Amino acid sequence: MRIVVQKFGGTSVANLECMRKVMEKNKKILDQGIKLVVVLSAMSGETNRLLGLARQWSKNPDPWETDALVATGEQVSVALFAMLLKDNGIRARSLLGHQAEILTDCSAGRARILGINSERIMEYLEKHDVLVVAGFQGCDIRQRITTLGRGGSDTSAVAMAAALKAEMCEIFTDVDGVYTTDPNICPKARKIPRITYDEMLEMASMGAKVLQIRSVQFAKKYQVPVHVRSTFSDEPGTIVTKEEEGMEEAMVSSIAYDKDQARVTLMDVYDEPGVAANIFAPISDADIVVDMIVQNPSREGRTDMTFTVPRGDLDPTLKILERIKTEIGAPAVVHDAHVSKVSIIGVGMRNHSGVAAMAFTSLKNEGINILMISTSEIKISILLDEKYTELAVRTLHETFGLDRSDAT
Ligand code: ADP
Ligand code: ASP
Ligand code: MG
């Protein structure tokens, strides 16, 4: 049986007219005698609306009930879409996460897929031409509904494609591919026709939300060919694939940004063995992922420790620090929730020097102050005031010659 997985994001299922466009995309595959698994997101804006309701109802919404609540967004879109397909004579049915037997671990709000009952899906595919599966959700071993983190429908789709050994996983969205940077903030961004899993992984982990990180990890692990393309045009998009001979190793291939950042500084902590462990162990125990860390040189046995966390984790981080403040000798904790991280990515950076200097000079010329820097072999990340994000992205995009010459 030939199978293709197609995933459509929130803007692609925003209303009836959009859903009709989705159906046209489905028909092109069905006409070739191929069976389809269509993974849908909630209608655009719906997940945010539901999260807003949770915050109205509770100061500290229960994570399991929050998952049960936000998962309804996808329930609505799959039911409506399956209805539309059936009205058009297509043999279809909807499946929620637990009906598709998408088993996840037990972490509410950021669950990981552990397995999918592919035999059950194959049985359904014998009787139907299209299975409309709710993205972003699964079910844990205790029968609780779980969600996979923002953008999680991408991961549902790629995991489904891997489990079913589908020919292709097409990710339909509101842009027609993966660009050198977010085309919505940089009109001169260029579409990348083919990109390696590793480069896409780096872009996604630096904030390029066109694909959720976990979806790229799945795609790489199971060698799922992924095609990112637009619901609203027939243009070919971007193929995410394994490294092929002749693929360019550009010094800088893309610029990504992440506004979901907050910076915390612990002033004048003791500079002695164990202090960093005492700070970061309880933060990690609370499942908070610390990103950049900078420790200043010691002054009379004291130092400052600065680090970043996702913005949504700032409050719990501050609560933990309040608890351990005396133990680590920190008289003051300061924080800033209006920072963002801009990253310069390129596999070819390994063999070139001077990328950092070029980046810093171009930011200086725009009067942008750098708050923190971190580097790896193939990327440089710079923390800056959130209000400079777009300017910094466009400036760096131009500095590294990524601009499309014909765009204005
Ligand atoms: P969907 O709802 O379809 O999942 P998302 O909003 O999650 O769509 O992802 C698509 C968005 O990703 C685009 O509208 C674009 O603003 C953003 N984006 C960020 N970086 C990139 C990039 N490098 N290439 C393409 N899109 C990007
Ligand atoms: N609806 C979820 C979100 O808004 C999942 C997704 O769209 O991928 O994050
Ligand atoms: Mg998305």
Side-chain angles (χ1 to χ4, degrees), residues 36-242:
L36 257 182
V37 174
V38 176
V39 175
L40 299 185
S41 291
M43 295 160 101
S44 117
E46 184 60 10
T47 307
N48 286 341
R49 188 185 74 84
L50 293 166
L51 286 169
L53 282 182
R55 282 191 297 269
Q56 272 179 41
W57 254 249
S58 162
K59 266 204 194 98
N60 191 14
D62 178 87
W64 296 105
E65 300 311 336
T66 302
D67 272 5
L69 175 70
V70 290
T72 62
E74 273 70 12
Q75 178 160 358
V76 171
S77 51
V78 293
L80 288 173
F81 187 63
M83 214 178 264
L84 179 69
L85 293 182
K86 288 179 185 177
D87 278 359
N88 282 272
I90 298 172
R91 294 191 311 160
R93 74 159 283 180
S94 65
L95 288 173
L96 300 179
H98 68 273
Q99 293 172 314
E101 298 185 39
I102 300 174
L103 179 70
T104 73
D105 66 9
C106 300
S107 39
R110 54 179 89 172
R112 288 171 163 250
I113 296 178
L114 299 175
I116 295 176
N117 187 344
S118 52
E119 275 170 31
R120 179 81 70 246
I121 307 279
M122 296 304 271
E123 277 168 28
Y124 285 129
L125 277 176
E126 295 288 342
K127 293 199 199 92
H128 302 89
D129 293 322
V130 183
L131 295 178
V132 188
V133 177
F136 179 55
Q137 56 175 267
C139 180
D140 74 2
I141 196 161
R142 294 166 64 187
Q143 301 296 316
R144 292 175 298 194
I145 290 170
T146 50
T147 63
L148 312 178
R150 298 311 301 267
S153 301
D154 298 331
T155 303
S156 310
V158 178
M160 198 52 94
L164 301 175
K165 300 192 173 55
E167 291 179 18
M168 175 66 80
C169 181
E170 296 186 302
I171 305 282
F172 285 90
T173 180
D174 55 0
V175 286
D176 63 359
V178 179
Y179 279 70
T180 46
T181 193
D182 185 345
N184 286 326
I185 69 161
C186 181
K188 290 184 176 174
R190 270 185 300 125
K191 186 156 71 178
I192 306 171
R194 292 178 90 80
I195 188 169
T196 63
Y197 293 121
D198 284 331
E199 270 181 312
M200 191 62 238
L201 206 51
E202 202 66 38
M203 281 174 83
S205 43
M206 290 303 115
K209 66 170 183 164
V210 61
L211 285 177
Q212 199 198 35
I213 310 170
R214 288 282 297 149
S215 72
V216 191
Q217 289 169 336
F218 256 110
K220 182 180 174 191
K221 186 166 174 195
Y222 297 100
Q223 301 279 297
V224 179
V226 173
H227 188 179
V228 180
R229 55 194 311 190
S230 168
T231 307
F232 307 102
S233 86
D234 285 326
E235 289 290 300
T238 298
I239 303 281
V240 190
T241 180
K242 60 181 189 293

Side-chain angles (χ1 to χ4, degrees), residues 225-327:
V226 173
H227 188 179
V228 180
R229 55 194 311 190
S230 168
T231 307
F232 307 102
S233 86
D234 285 326
E235 289 290 300
T238 298
I239 303 281
V240 190
T241 180
K242 60 181 189 293
E243 194 146 354
E244 294 160 354
E245 237 174 83
M247 257 172 139
E248 204 188 345
E249 277 220 337
M251 179 174 82
V252 172
S253 52
S254 63
I255 312 290
Y257 67 92
D258 185 354
K259 291 191 175 180
D260 180 24
Q261 297 278 314
R263 179 175 62 147
V264 180
T265 301
L266 288 158
M267 315 275 282
D268 285 330
V269 292
Y270 299 135
D271 189 11
E272 59 187 31
V275 168
N278 289 345
I279 297 169
F280 295 112
I283 295 178
S284 141
D285 289 345
D287 237 1
I288 295 170
V289 179
V290 173
D291 183 6
M292 297 171 157
I293 304 178
V294 171
Q295 181 179 337
N296 287 9
S298 181
R299 311 169 303 271
E300 294 157 17
R302 299 271 183 166
T303 184
D304 297 338
M305 190 82 84
T306 304
F307 59 94
T308 58
V309 289
R311 209 170 279 175
D313 288 333
L314 178 61
D315 282 345
T317 303
L318 294 176
K319 281 199 187 98
I320 293 168
L321 296 176
E322 197 52 47
R323 209 177 64 220
I324 61 169
K325 218 161 99 174
T326 340
E327 184 190 337

Side-chain angles (χ1 to χ4, degrees), residues 323-339:
R323 209 177 64 220
I324 61 169
K325 218 161 99 174
T326 340
E327 184 190 337
I328 56 174
V333 179
V334 291
H335 66 269
D336 185 351
H338 299 284
V339 291

Side-chain angles (χ1 to χ4, degrees), residues 357-370 391 395 399:
M358 265 171 90
F360 303 154
T361 308
S362 69
L363 294 179
K364 176 192 87 178
N365 292 341
E366 294 297 333
I368 300 173
N369 190 32
I370 296 172
L391 177 61
T395 303
T399 299

